[in-house]
Amino acid sequence: MTEPTVAEVMTELATYEDPKTREVNEKHGDDHGVKLSLLRALAKRLKTQQELARELWKTGDTAARLLAVLICRPKAFPRDELDVMLREARTPKVQDWLVNYVVKNSPHAEALRLAWSADPDPTVASAGWALTTERVAKNAQGLSLAGLLDVIEAEMKAAPDRLQWAMNHCLAQIGIEHAEHRDRALDIGERLEVLKDYPTPPNCTSPYAPIWITEMVRRRHDAAGR
């Protein structure tokens, strides 16, 4: 069985295009009309194909790039290539998947975290904060949590949307995971009021940090008491 060409994959992706899906995605800044369940099913069928992933990424098409993220080999990318890909990512979903599925599983994750966090481009910096949040949750040794809270306190309120969202996630994670910093994290969230009025569907937790922290801590406490 021959491996599919880029043209063949692009043709198949085109058959999945759904106008209603595109309309919903475009409201979130994502310019594609392919349901993610179909993308994942196609990726499962294709399995890991690093060179095909690279060629799909080069098309610049959002659905093709999401598929590329699913079929690539994260550890095969050199640091510089990941940096270029992040800067090319454009749409929120592509950036989110690239960071979460590829960069977090790369041996270059920490070096990129440090470089991206200090980048003047707020979109790139948001990726650095996403990697920092991962460290806060899983491996905080060596991080200055107080220092992170200092930066969040000083800069989150005025940060552009995507960067603000990433910093807020880090704030919440510090409060959830590190009890010694919880009171300060709650205080910062209450004073800055970032995402306080964010529309939250029923049965979902608000991204407003004080509510998010309090709810997650309560759930863990309840689970521990069972």
Side-chain angles (χ1 to χ4, degrees):
M1 183 176 176
T2 59
E3 293 184 353
T5 65
V6 173
E8 289 168 342
V9 174
M10 295 301 291
T11 297
E12 182 165 353
L13 286 174
T15 67
Y16 296 153
E17 177 72 22
D18 176 66
K20 290 183 179 179
T21 300
R22 177 175 286 274
E23 183 180 354
V24 171
N25 287 335
E26 285 182 342
K27 291 178 181 177
H28 301 286
D30 294 309
D31 56 349
H32 75 95
V34 180
K35 292 180 180 178
L36 299 183
S37 59
L38 294 175
L39 271 179
R40 293 184 186 280
L42 177 54
K44 188 174 182 180
R45 203 169 78 236
L46 291 172
K47 299 185 170 65
T48 302
Q49 295 192 47
Q50 178 67 9
E51 290 313 308
L52 178 59
R54 279 193 165 109
E55 292 302 312
L56 287 169
W57 184 272
K58 287 177 184 176
T59 67
D61 179 81
T62 293
R65 285 183 164 178
L66 291 172
L67 179 62
V69 166
L70 294 175
I71 67 170
C72 74
R73 188 175 291 107
K75 291 180 172 61
F77 292 106
R79 172 183 163 172
D80 289 350
E81 187 173 2
L82 289 173
D83 183 69
V84 170
M85 291 170 72
L86 190 278
R87 294 172 193 278
E88 291 176 340
R90 294 189 305 108
T91 66
K93 182 65 72 176
V94 172
Q95 178 177 325
D96 182 54
W97 279 25
L98 179 66
V99 171
N100 283 291
Y101 297 159
V102 182
V103 181
K104 285 182 181 179
N105 296 304
S106 163
H108 309 294
E110 180 62 12
L112 289 170
R113 181 186 77 82
L114 293 170
W116 288 345
S117 295
D119 199 279
D121 183 333
T123 301
V124 175
S126 72
W129 277 93
L131 294 172
T132 298
T133 301
E134 179 84 351
R135 284 274 319 266
V136 166
K138 295 184 177 179
N139 179 27
Q141 186 174 358
L143 287 179
S144 171
L145 298 180
L148 290 173
L149 290 174
D150 288 344
V151 176
I152 291 168
E153 186 172 19
E155 300 179 12
M156 182 172 72
K157 182 78 170 179
D161 287 351
R162 211 183 301 185
L163 177 56
Q164 184 185 73
W165 186 275
M167 295 175 82
N168 182 72
H169 190 181
C170 189
L171 173 66
Q173 207 66 52
I174 291 172
I176 293 164
E177 301 290 346
H178 302 279
E180 68 275 21
H181 295 282
R182 187 169 297 146
D183 286 347
R184 186 181 175 200
L186 288 166
D187 178 65
I188 290 171
E190 287 166 0
R191 283 188 290 104
L192 298 187
E193 297 187 334
V194 168
L195 301 175
K196 184 175 183 178
D197 299 320
Y198 191 84
T200 305
N203 302 318
C204 291
T205 303
S206 169
Y208 176 49
I211 293 177
W212 190 354
I213 293 167
T214 302
E215 175 61 16
M216 294 308 295
V217 170
R218 181 194 66 78
R219 289 183 192 178
R220 290 185 180 185
H221 182 269
D222 289 352
R226 287 173 187 165

